[in-house]
Each structure stands twice: as structure tokens, then as C-alpha cells.
């Protein structure tokens, strides 16, 4: 494999001021990619931008809420304005929530669809004309939760399933253009200490570190994303648990549903309602 394969490519990585998105941005920048960082928090994005520049990376940052079409257009425009082209779009920005359908705030469904689904749809729409010129890549960072609707995480898994459907549709639509569409199913991964989720009532809560399951490293996810781009793979599922879940849901759907039914109390207490400090005012 050519080690310079990605050198001087231009990549937009949404939600890249921390966590998996930041790890992906670093992985690409290390390979000579010109990276456009993105996020909604101005200070955090500026801090990340400064860190990247100190490390000698060719980078700019653009504040944009991907859930808003006009801001997605701005993100694309600013990238082309600076670098003259786009080779890679990483749809990584995402949000999460918890709660039953009955109890969860109605705003959670709206907010997650806007970020997890609409964001990828808007950016993909606006980036396609540019990627046709470079025969580039659109990568969706999905989740093993995107395989099926999961109890106590309905809003999140529904938005991720919608995103997966979008990726599959795009892949067929763009087949004759030379644009590569990749879908990465990520398993349980170490989260940034400041990562927050939408709680049942619509307020935000810091997500505590999971101690009851083996967690992947953001850096390993980032390497997998880079390999997906280099090899132009359509789909990749990460972690042993993710691979098992994919197999069970695809080939043994009734059995997998039974497993969820008998373990519903454990799923609720050990994987969903796992505590977390309430955020009085979001940072």
C-alpha cells in the first residue's frame, strides 16, 4: 500500500473537537491530510485547532451545527474556499440519549434525528458535486446500535438505523460517479470525560465511563476509518461484540430478540441508566 496515498487530500471531520472525531482527524493529519475540524463549541474547537497547528498539521476549523442545512453549506463553502477541493467527508458528529419511548422528552427524538441523520444527509447532499471531481469518499460513523431498535435507546438507535439506510441509498445512487461511500459500525468505545448525552427529561448529563464491558480505543477506531478509506470498503463492523450482534440480528433474529427480552432489566440498569452528573448549563 502506498504510504502517501492520502497525502494532500482534504478531509472534513464533523464533531472533531474531541473523542472519536478528534482521533480520526489526528490519524488523517498524520498521513498528510489537510483537515477541516468542526464542532459547535467555539472554545473547545479553537483549543483543538491550536493543538493541531502546534503539531504541524495543516488544519482549519469551522464552527457549524450539522443539524442545520445552512450551516452545513457554510462548512462545505469554507473548506473549498481554503483548500480548493474536498476529497473526504467524515460524518462523525452525533448525539445520544436514554429513556423509554413513553418517558423520554419528545425533544430528544427531534434533536437526535437532526444531528445523527439530518447532519449526514445535508452534508452529503452539498458535498457530492465536489466529490465527483475528486472521486472521493463519504464515510458515516455509525454504531452497532444501528443494527436494530434497542430498548431504552429508541431515539438513538432509530436515528442510526436511518443513517445506515441513507448510506446504503447513497452508495447505489453514486455508483457511476466513482464516489466511495463507507459505513462504519462502531462498538462500545472509550468516551471523552466531557461527553454528554440527553437524559430522559431532555437535560444533558455527563456520560460516566463504562466499567462493565470491554471498550475500544478511539485511536483503534480512527485506524479502522483510515483503512476503510484507503481500501474503499463499503462496510466495517468493529469489536467482537459488534460482530456477534451483527451475526445474531442478521441470521438469528428471533433468538436475538429473545436475548434482549430476557436481559431487558440488565440492559436497563447496567447499560442505559448508569448514572452521570447532571449539567446545569451546557458548556
Amino acid at each position: 500500500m502506498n504510504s502517501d496515498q492520502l497525502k494532500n487530500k482534504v478531509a472534513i471531520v464533523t464533531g472533531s473537537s474531541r473523542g472519536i472525531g478528534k482521533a480520526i482527524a489526528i490519524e488523517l493529519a498524520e498521513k498528510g491530510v489537510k483537515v477541516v475540524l468542526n464542532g459547535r463549541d467555539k472554545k473547545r474547537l479553537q483549543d483543538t485547532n491550536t493543538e493541531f497547528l502546534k503539531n504541524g498539521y495543516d488544519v482549519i476549523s469551522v464552527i457549524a451545527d450539522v443539524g442545520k442545512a445552512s450551516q452545513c453549506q457554510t462548512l462545505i463553502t469554507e473548506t473549498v474556499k481554503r483548500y480548493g477541493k474536498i476529497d473526504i467527508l467524515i460524518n462523525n458528529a452525533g448525539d445520544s440519549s436514554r429513556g423509554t419511548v413513553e418517558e423520554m422528552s419528545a425533544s430528544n427524538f427531534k434533536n437526535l434525528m437532526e444531528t445523527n441523520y439530518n447532519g449526514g444527509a445535508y452534508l452529503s447532499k452539498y458535498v457530492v458535486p465536489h466529490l465527483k471531481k475528486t472521486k472521493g469518499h463519504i464515510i458515516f460513523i455509525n454504531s452497532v446500535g444501528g443494527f436494530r431498535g434497542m430498548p431504552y435507546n429508541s431515539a438513538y438507535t432509530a436515528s442510526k438505523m436511518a443513517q445506515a439506510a441513507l448510506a446504503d441509498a447513497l452508495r447505489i445512487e453514486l455508483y457511476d460517479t466513482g464516489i466511495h461511500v463507507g459505513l462504519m459500525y462502531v462498538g462500545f468505545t472509550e468516551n471523552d470525560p466531557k461527553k454528554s448525552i440527553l437524559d430522559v427529561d431532555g437535560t444533558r448529563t455527563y456520560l460516566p465511563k463504562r466499567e462493565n464491558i470491554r471498550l475500544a480505543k478511539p485511536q483503534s477506531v480512527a485506524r479502522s476509518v483510515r483503512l476503510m478509506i484507503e481500501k474503499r470498503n463499503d462496510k466495517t463492523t468493529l469489536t467482537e461484540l459488534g460482530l456477534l450482534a451483527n451475526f445474531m440480528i442478521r441470521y438469528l433474529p428471533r433468538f436475538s430478540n429473545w436475548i434482549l427480552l430476557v436481559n431487558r432489566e440488565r440492559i436497563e440498569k447496567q447499560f442505559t441508566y448508569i448514572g452521570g452528573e447532571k449539567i446545569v448549563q451546557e458548556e
Side-chain angles (χ1 to χ4, degrees), residues 146-165:
F147 290 144
R148 61 154 293 157
M150 295 294 290
Y152 317 110
N153 281 280
S154 57
Y156 177 73
T157 54
S159 67
K160 286 299 186 179
M161 290 181 75
Q163 187 195 68

Side-chain angles (χ1 to χ4, degrees), residues 98 103 105 108 193-208 273-283:
R98 62 186 179 189
E103 297 174 339
S105 170
N108 284 9
K194 291 296 184 180
K195 178 178 175 59
S196 66
I197 62 172
L198 290 167
D199 214 339
V200 181
D201 58 1
T203 61
R204 300 203 74 91
T205 299
Y206 287 122
L207 182 65
Y273 296 102
I274 56 174
E277 180 186 350
K278 282 280 189 183
I279 302 174
V280 178
Q281 184 176 1
E282 189 177 6
E283 55 193 298

Side-chain angles (χ1 to χ4, degrees), residues 89-125:
L89 168 65
I90 309 288
N91 284 309
N92 167 76
D95 206 349
S96 188
S97 68
R98 62 186 179 189
T100 65
V101 174
E102 178 185 11
E103 297 174 339
M104 189 161 45
S105 170
S107 63
N108 284 9
F109 292 99
K110 177 176 180 291
N111 291 338
L112 263 64
M113 285 301 292
E114 285 180 346
T115 300
N116 298 352
Y117 172 74
N118 289 353
Y122 295 147
L123 283 168
S124 298
K125 169 183 172 61

Side-chain angles (χ1 to χ4, degrees), residues 146-261:
F147 290 144
R148 61 154 293 157
M150 295 294 290
Y152 317 110
N153 281 280
S154 57
Y156 177 73
T157 54
S159 67
K160 286 299 186 179
M161 290 181 75
Q163 187 195 68
L166 171 66
D168 286 341
L170 263 177
R171 188 177 298 111
I172 303 301
E173 291 177 3
L174 299 176
Y175 181 81
D176 295 316
T177 68
I179 296 175
H180 162 234
V181 178
L183 181 60
M184 176 74 69
Y185 289 103
V186 178
F188 286 108
T189 305
E190 287 184 4
N191 55 272
D192 186 281
K194 291 296 184 180
K195 178 178 175 59
S196 66
I197 62 172
L198 290 167
D199 214 339
V200 181
D201 58 1
T203 61
R204 300 203 74 91
T205 299
Y206 287 122
L207 182 65
K209 182 178 179 180
R210 297 180 185 274
E211 303 288 354
N212 57 345
I213 195 168
R214 185 177 175 183
L215 300 172
K217 299 283 187 182
Q219 293 77 14
S220 68
V221 175
R223 284 192 294 272
S224 296
V225 171
R226 173 176 57 80
L227 289 172
M228 169 174 270
I229 295 170
E230 292 176 341
K231 296 180 179 180
R232 301 181 79 90
N233 291 334
D234 290 347
K235 294 183 181 181
T236 301
T237 301
L238 303 182
T239 74
E240 294 177 356
L241 181 60
L243 291 168
L244 177 61
N246 186 26
F247 177 85
M248 295 286 287
I249 292 167
R250 182 181 295 271
Y251 298 107
L252 301 168
R254 293 182 67 181
F255 183 55
S256 65
N257 195 63
W258 177 82
I259 290 176
L260 291 176
L261 282 171

Side-chain angles (χ1 to χ4, degrees), residues 15-24 92 190-192 218:
S16 47
S17 61
R18 65 182 177 191
I20 291 175
K22 182 178 179 180
I24 293 171
N92 167 76
E190 287 184 4
N191 55 272
D192 186 281

